Tab-separated table of all heavy atoms in Angstrom:
chain	number	residue	atom	x	y	z
A	1	ILE	N	-0.979	0.303	-1.520
A	1	ILE	CA	-1.409	0.996	-2.723
A	1	ILE	C	-0.184	1.649	-3.350
A	1	ILE	O	0.793	1.943	-2.651
A	1	ILE	CB	-2.509	2.038	-2.402
A	1	ILE	CG1	-3.276	2.455	-3.656
A	1	ILE	CG2	-1.938	3.251	-1.675
A	1	ILE	CD1	-4.553	3.249	-3.353
A	2	SER	N	-0.211	1.853	-4.662
A	2	SER	CA	0.917	2.513	-5.324
A	2	SER	C	0.417	3.469	-6.392
A	2	SER	O	-0.695	3.328	-6.906
A	2	SER	CB	1.863	1.483	-5.950
A	2	SER	OG	1.231	0.809	-7.034
A	3	TYR	N	1.267	4.450	-6.712
A	3	TYR	CA	0.920	5.499	-7.676
A	3	TYR	C	2.121	5.849	-8.546
A	3	TYR	O	3.281	5.614	-8.161
A	3	TYR	CB	0.479	6.784	-6.954
A	3	TYR	CG	-0.807	6.669	-6.198
A	3	TYR	CD1	-0.804	6.249	-4.862
A	3	TYR	CD2	-2.029	6.977	-6.789
A	3	TYR	CE1	-1.984	6.141	-4.142
A	3	TYR	CE2	-3.221	6.873	-6.073
A	3	TYR	CZ	-3.189	6.460	-4.760
A	3	TYR	OH	-4.366	6.355	-4.050
A	4	ALA	N	1.823	6.449	-9.692
A	4	ALA	CA	2.832	7.105	-10.532
A	4	ALA	C	2.588	8.604	-10.465
A	4	ALA	O	1.430	9.052	-10.412
A	4	ALA	CB	2.725	6.622	-11.980
A	5	ILE	N	3.649	9.391	-10.477
A	5	ILE	CA	3.501	10.838	-10.389
A	5	ILE	C	2.690	11.362	-11.578
A	5	ILE	O	2.887	10.959	-12.723
A	5	ILE	CB	4.872	11.549	-10.316
A	5	ILE	CG1	4.683	13.053	-10.043
A	5	ILE	CG2	5.710	11.295	-11.563
A	5	ILE	CD1	5.980	13.779	-9.695
A	6	GLY	N	1.731	12.217	-11.260
A	6	GLY	CA	0.917	12.842	-12.287
A	6	GLY	C	-0.245	12.001	-12.783
A	6	GLY	O	-1.040	12.464	-13.599
A	7	VAL	N	-0.388	10.759	-12.284
A	7	VAL	CA	-1.448	9.849	-12.732
A	7	VAL	C	-2.449	9.664	-11.598
A	7	VAL	O	-2.060	9.408	-10.454
A	7	VAL	CB	-0.866	8.484	-13.169
A	7	VAL	CG1	-1.975	7.544	-13.620
A	7	VAL	CG2	0.167	8.672	-14.275
A	8	ALA	N	-3.732	9.770	-11.904
A	8	ALA	CA	-4.758	9.720	-10.864
A	8	ALA	C	-5.035	8.304	-10.364
A	8	ALA	O	-5.173	8.074	-9.161
A	8	ALA	CB	-6.046	10.352	-11.374
A	9	THR	N	-5.132	7.352	-11.283
A	9	THR	CA	-5.524	5.995	-10.914
A	9	THR	C	-4.355	5.246	-10.275
A	9	THR	O	-3.235	5.279	-10.803
A	9	THR	CB	-5.996	5.221	-12.154
A	9	THR	OG1	-7.033	5.953	-12.794
A	9	THR	CG2	-6.524	3.846	-11.772
A	10	PRO	N	-4.578	4.551	-9.163
A	10	PRO	CA	-3.493	3.772	-8.557
A	10	PRO	C	-2.939	2.742	-9.528
A	10	PRO	O	-3.672	2.185	-10.356
A	10	PRO	CB	-4.168	3.092	-7.361
A	10	PRO	CG	-5.375	3.913	-7.067
A	10	PRO	CD	-5.832	4.467	-8.375
A	11	THR	N	-1.651	2.466	-9.432
A	11	THR	CA	-1.048	1.444	-10.284
A	11	THR	C	-1.213	0.043	-9.703
A	11	THR	O	-1.055	-0.950	-10.423
A	11	THR	CB	0.449	1.727	-10.504
A	11	THR	OG1	1.093	1.899	-9.235
A	11	THR	CG2	0.640	3.000	-11.324
A	12	SER	N	-1.503	-0.052	-8.397
A	12	SER	CA	-1.779	-1.355	-7.789
A	12	SER	C	-2.531	-1.164	-6.482
A	12	SER	O	-2.505	-0.091	-5.875
A	12	SER	CB	-0.480	-2.136	-7.528
A	12	SER	OG	0.292	-1.506	-6.525
A	13	PHE	N	-3.209	-2.247	-6.052
A	13	PHE	CA	-3.919	-2.253	-4.770
A	13	PHE	C	-3.915	-3.689	-4.266
A	13	PHE	O	-4.354	-4.603	-4.955
A	13	PHE	CB	-5.364	-1.762	-4.951
A	13	PHE	CG	-6.083	-1.517	-3.649
A	13	PHE	CD1	-5.951	-0.304	-2.988
A	13	PHE	CD2	-6.871	-2.499	-3.078
A	13	PHE	CE1	-6.601	-0.068	-1.781
A	13	PHE	CE2	-7.531	-2.277	-1.866
A	13	PHE	CZ	-7.387	-1.053	-1.221
A	14	TYR	N	-3.400	-3.880	-3.038
A	14	TYR	CA	-3.181	-5.220	-2.489
A	14	TYR	C	-3.749	-5.311	-1.081
A	14	TYR	O	-3.601	-4.387	-0.281
A	14	TYR	CB	-1.672	-5.503	-2.465
A	14	TYR	CG	-1.234	-6.681	-1.626
A	14	TYR	CD1	-1.359	-7.983	-2.087
A	14	TYR	CD2	-0.655	-6.480	-0.367
A	14	TYR	CE1	-0.927	-9.061	-1.320
A	14	TYR	CE2	-0.222	-7.552	0.411
A	14	TYR	CZ	-0.362	-8.840	-0.072
A	14	TYR	OH	0.056	-9.899	0.679
A	15	VAL	N	-4.387	-6.445	-0.770
A	15	VAL	CA	-4.969	-6.680	0.559
A	15	VAL	C	-4.439	-7.998	1.113
A	15	VAL	O	-4.467	-9.033	0.437
A	15	VAL	CB	-6.503	-6.733	0.506
A	15	VAL	CG1	-7.082	-7.078	1.887
A	15	VAL	CG2	-7.083	-5.418	0.008
A	16	ASP	N	-3.958	-7.973	2.356
A	16	ASP	CA	-3.506	-9.169	3.067
A	16	ASP	C	-4.311	-9.285	4.355
A	16	ASP	O	-4.271	-8.383	5.199
A	16	ASP	CB	-2.015	-9.052	3.382
A	16	ASP	CG	-1.442	-10.307	4.036
A	16	ASP	OD1	-2.206	-11.250	4.332
A	16	ASP	OD2	-0.208	-10.355	4.255
A	17	LEU	N	-5.044	-10.391	4.500
A	17	LEU	CA	-5.859	-10.621	5.696
A	17	LEU	C	-5.166	-11.557	6.686
A	17	LEU	O	-5.792	-12.008	7.650
A	17	LEU	CB	-7.228	-11.184	5.304
A	17	LEU	CG	-8.074	-10.296	4.386
A	17	LEU	CD1	-9.408	-10.965	4.087
A	17	LEU	CD2	-8.290	-8.914	5.003
A	18	HIS	N	-3.925	-11.864	6.447
A	18	HIS	CA	-3.094	-12.628	7.383
A	18	HIS	C	-3.737	-13.958	7.780
A	18	HIS	O	-3.773	-14.325	8.962
A	18	HIS	CB	-2.768	-11.788	8.619
A	18	HIS	CG	-2.025	-10.534	8.289
A	18	HIS	ND1	-0.651	-10.464	8.211
A	18	HIS	CD2	-2.473	-9.282	7.973
A	18	HIS	CE1	-0.286	-9.241	7.888
A	18	HIS	NE2	-1.366	-8.495	7.726
A	19	GLY	N	-4.252	-14.658	6.781
A	19	GLY	CA	-4.775	-15.999	7.004
A	19	GLY	C	-6.261	-16.095	7.267
A	19	GLY	O	-6.807	-17.203	7.301
A	20	ALA	N	-6.938	-14.983	7.462
A	20	ALA	CA	-8.390	-15.033	7.691
A	20	ALA	C	-9.091	-15.558	6.439
A	20	ALA	O	-8.720	-15.218	5.306
A	20	ALA	CB	-8.921	-13.656	8.041
A	21	ASP	N	-10.107	-16.405	6.637
A	21	ASP	CA	-10.800	-17.010	5.492
A	21	ASP	C	-12.260	-16.589	5.397
A	21	ASP	O	-13.078	-17.260	4.770
A	21	ASP	CB	-10.694	-18.531	5.555
A	21	ASP	CG	-11.289	-19.119	6.841
A	21	ASP	OD1	-11.828	-18.343	7.661
A	21	ASP	OD2	-11.206	-20.347	7.028
A	22	THR	N	-12.598	-15.466	6.019
A	22	THR	CA	-13.986	-14.991	5.988
A	22	THR	C	-14.369	-14.425	4.632
A	22	THR	O	-15.549	-14.391	4.277
A	22	THR	CB	-14.196	-13.904	7.053
A	22	THR	OG1	-13.184	-12.901	6.890
A	22	THR	CG2	-14.118	-14.477	8.455
A	23	ILE	N	-13.392	-13.943	3.883
A	23	ILE	CA	-13.654	-13.349	2.581
A	23	ILE	C	-12.384	-13.444	1.740
A	23	ILE	O	-11.271	-13.441	2.277
A	23	ILE	CB	-14.097	-11.871	2.731
A	23	ILE	CG1	-14.595	-11.302	1.397
A	23	ILE	CG2	-12.986	-11.020	3.323
A	23	ILE	CD1	-15.265	-9.941	1.536
A	24	ASP	N	-12.545	-13.537	0.448
A	24	ASP	CA	-11.407	-13.597	-0.460
A	24	ASP	C	-10.756	-12.211	-0.550
A	24	ASP	O	-11.424	-11.240	-0.913
A	24	ASP	CB	-11.898	-14.036	-1.846
A	24	ASP	CG	-10.758	-14.229	-2.844
A	24	ASP	OD1	-9.606	-13.906	-2.509
A	24	ASP	OD2	-11.047	-14.679	-3.970
A	25	PRO	N	-9.473	-12.100	-0.235
A	25	PRO	CA	-8.813	-10.787	-0.341
A	25	PRO	C	-8.931	-10.171	-1.739
A	25	PRO	O	-8.993	-8.951	-1.870
A	25	PRO	CB	-7.352	-11.090	0.007
A	25	PRO	CG	-7.402	-12.325	0.833
A	25	PRO	CD	-8.554	-13.123	0.300
A	26	ALA	N	-8.961	-11.023	-2.754
A	26	ALA	CA	-9.086	-10.505	-4.120
A	26	ALA	C	-10.404	-9.753	-4.312
A	26	ALA	O	-10.468	-8.790	-5.090
A	26	ALA	CB	-8.987	-11.652	-5.132
A	27	LYS	N	-11.441	-10.185	-3.611
A	27	LYS	CA	-12.723	-9.486	-3.678
A	27	LYS	C	-12.597	-8.096	-3.061
A	27	LYS	O	-13.096	-7.105	-3.610
A	27	LYS	CB	-13.796	-10.299	-2.958
A	27	LYS	CG	-15.200	-9.719	-3.069
A	27	LYS	CD	-16.222	-10.636	-2.418
A	27	LYS	CE	-17.635	-10.090	-2.586
A	27	LYS	NZ	-18.646	-11.007	-1.950
């Protein structure tokens, strides 16, 4: 996750499941 100082909403959010195919990481 990433942030900018003074801003509430994250600037990014990333998920890595290391090859698992049970669910789409984008979901």
Side-chain angles (χ1 to χ4, degrees):
I1 198 168
S2 67
Y3 293 89
I5 187 169
V7 180
T9 305
T11 53
S12 67
F13 190 85
Y14 165 79
V15 176
D16 184 355
L17 300 181
H18 300 271
D21 59 3
T22 52
I23 189 170
D24 184 353
K27 185 176 183 180

